[in-house]
Amino acid sequence: MSNAPPQLLLVDDEDVFLLLTRTLLERAGFAVTPVSESPLAVELVEQGFRPDVILLDFRMPVLTGPEVLKKLRAAGSSAPAVLVSAIRDVEREGALHGFDSAVAKPFSSKGLVDVVNGLLRRRSGSFPP
């Protein structure tokens, strides 16, 4: 079994958010691939990148988070996806659009890390979420 850190795909059009969130997730032990342009996230997965968890904003230029998720699923990714957004009713919107979880901006560092770890545990079958 590999000791490689879990791979996260973080997609958001705000560079400051990407930098801060990448830093906090890397400090928590994750390998993070930050992407500021939603079509690039789709391209990465189409080229074979297989993240363990996907984190998507809702409102982004070109493709919205739900549109990106749909395209990632079509490209073969089965990774759990988290909607990370400041939209109203983020949990309901996330469920409506096929996300596995949702986190409202602003969030606590521990809250986001706990959500990601819960999805990783559920995916690996190590124990219930």
Side-chain angles (χ1 to χ4, degrees):
M1 193 154 146
S2 171
N3 285 339
Q7 295 285 324
L8 307 183
L9 177 59
L10 175 63
V11 186
D12 195 293
D13 60 313
E14 296 177 29
D15 290 335
V16 171
F17 177 82
L18 280 177
L19 176 65
L20 294 174
T21 306
R22 176 185 187 177
T23 301
L24 88 84
L25 290 169
E26 286 177 344
R27 287 184 181 160
F30 302 109
V32 180
T33 300
V35 177
S36 61
E37 298 175 17
S38 51
L40 180 56
V42 176
E43 191 176 311
L44 284 171
V45 170
E46 287 174 345
Q47 293 173 354
F49 178 58
R50 291 294 179 251
D52 296 300
V53 175
I54 301 162
L55 299 105
L56 294 167
D57 189 11
F58 193 93
R59 292 189 186 107
M60 294 182 286
V62 187
L63 297 172
T64 66
E67 290 169 336
V68 173
L69 181 59
K70 188 174 184 178
K71 288 181 178 288
L72 294 177
R73 295 291 184 240
S77 177
S78 61
V82 182
L83 179 61
V84 183
S85 184
I87 63 169
R88 272 182 63 174
D89 299 324
V90 68
E91 292 87 2
R92 185 179 68 74
E93 288 296 323
L96 186 67
H97 292 285
F99 286 83
D100 299 280
S101 189
V103 174
K105 290 180 185 177
F107 53 80
S108 73
S109 299
K110 182 182 182 320
L112 183 62
V113 169
D114 286 351
V115 166
V116 172
N117 279 325
L119 290 170
L120 289 167
R121 284 192 299 270
R122 189 182 327 163
R123 188 167 196 210
S124 71
S126 57
F127 51 88

